[in-house]
Amino acid sequence: MRPPVKMIGRKVGTALEWLRNAAEKLRTLGQSDGAEAARPPERPRIGLALSGGFARGIAHIGVLRVLREAEIPIDCVSGTSVGALIGAGFCAGAPLDVMERLGRATGFTDFGRWTPSWLGLATNKRLEGYLERMTPAKTFEELRLPFAIAATDLDAGVAAYYTRGPLGPPLRGSCAYPGLFVPVQYEGKTLVDGFLAAPVPVEGALLLGADLVIAVYLEAGTVEHPRTMADVISRSFTIVQHHADIAWRQQADIVIEPDVKSFVWDDFSRSSELIAAGEAATLQALPKIRERLAAFAREPAR
């Protein structure tokens, strides 16, 4: 004869209660004898800081591809100028192949329109439409990963970081190369290219809570004989960057530097070479990245 259903229920309830009590005792015992401190720590929160560089920014795609294939997790991204554009697409979940195809077909008129004025030679309003080719996301809140855009507050002369609200205006501000593009007015600030105040926005990744920051720097080459006013401006700001890169290097844990010096600002037709440069530099940096991750795992629990 089978036992009554009520009796079975009471026995099951008693067993569950015993298991809960036993688990609580084990947890308390572990905390008292130091077992909690011996528990392997969680991996660090990894942030990626992407620099600007116009067409040279296509190298960022190669960097992202190698990190993904090597299963290096990226938890947050901060971007300046073209680094902000690539970062927005990546954080939105846009396939790298899609970004690569867009890069190959990109020309100046895809993001700029010549409208000479006292403040600049062109407007970059078309950049918002260009972003739509990567992702339908229009706000930071729609992105899959935390993301920060670095722009330069021209009036205050400092970096301005944006992590909430619409993507378009701060992205355009971050890409408003002084002299070439008209500055962007947003939230009471006059925004120009982020590379002036945050050439490699390591600080943005730290603001997003990164424990370990991988910085990607795209150094411009020397233009011996400038062809255009844009070349003159580009070379001038490259000189400024060489004298102002100490701060972000001290903040970064790993620095990846693709060899893109031979590329000029509008070399979109050389996308394959730029991506290959990003891949090569990242493959070279992988041992150091894994070493830092292993060192973090050996540290005492936080």
Side-chain angles (χ1 to χ4, degrees), residues 190-211:
T190 301
L191 303 180
V192 294
D193 203 303
F195 83 87
L196 285 176
V200 185
V202 175
E203 184 180 16
L206 294 173
L207 289 172
L208 293 173
D211 300 309

Side-chain angles (χ1 to χ4, degrees), residues 13 17 42 47 52 62 76-77 104 106 123 132 211 252:
E17 183 64 23
E42 296 180 358
C76 58
V77 179
R104 294 179 191 278
T106 297
T123 174
E132 291 178 0
D211 300 309

Side-chain angles (χ1 to χ4, degrees), residues 81-224:
S81 198
V82 68
L85 177 62
I86 298 294
F90 178 76
C91 289
L96 296 180
D97 290 345
V98 170
M99 288 196 277
E100 180 178 350
R101 286 198 299 272
L102 281 174
R104 294 179 191 278
T106 297
F108 178 82
T109 56
D110 288 306
F111 54 84
R113 181 169 63 88
W114 297 111
T115 55
S117 73
W118 291 110
L119 296 177
L121 298 176
T123 174
N124 65 2
K125 289 183 178 180
R126 292 176 177 173
L127 189 59
E128 295 188 39
Y130 187 84
L131 179 62
E132 291 178 0
R133 301 182 194 178
M134 293 186 192
T135 171
K138 295 184 181 298
T139 66
F140 286 91
E141 289 76 12
E142 295 175 77
L143 302 178
R144 298 182 182 180
L145 292 178
F147 179 52
I149 290 178
T152 298
D153 181 341
L154 189 61
D155 298 323
V158 297
Y161 286 94
Y162 295 90
T163 59
R164 299 178 181 178
L167 287 164
L171 176 60
R172 288 177 48 224
S174 182
C175 296
Y177 198 81
L180 178 58
F181 291 116
V182 175
V184 175
Q185 301 295 326
Y186 183 58
E187 293 188 340
K189 293 182 173 64
T190 301
L191 303 180
V192 294
D193 203 303
F195 83 87
L196 285 176
V200 185
V202 175
E203 184 180 16
L206 294 173
L207 289 172
L208 293 173
D211 300 309
L212 185 150
V213 181
I214 300 172
V216 186
Y217 178 51
L218 306 175
E219 183 176 356
T222 301
V223 180
E224 296 181 0

Side-chain angles (χ1 to χ4, degrees), residues 21-44:
N21 291 335
E24 179 62 22
K25 288 180 181 179
L26 287 172
R27 185 184 68 81
T28 304
L29 179 62
Q31 289 177 343
S32 62
D33 67 5
E36 182 73 8
R39 185 189 302 170
E42 296 180 358
R43 67 169 180 80

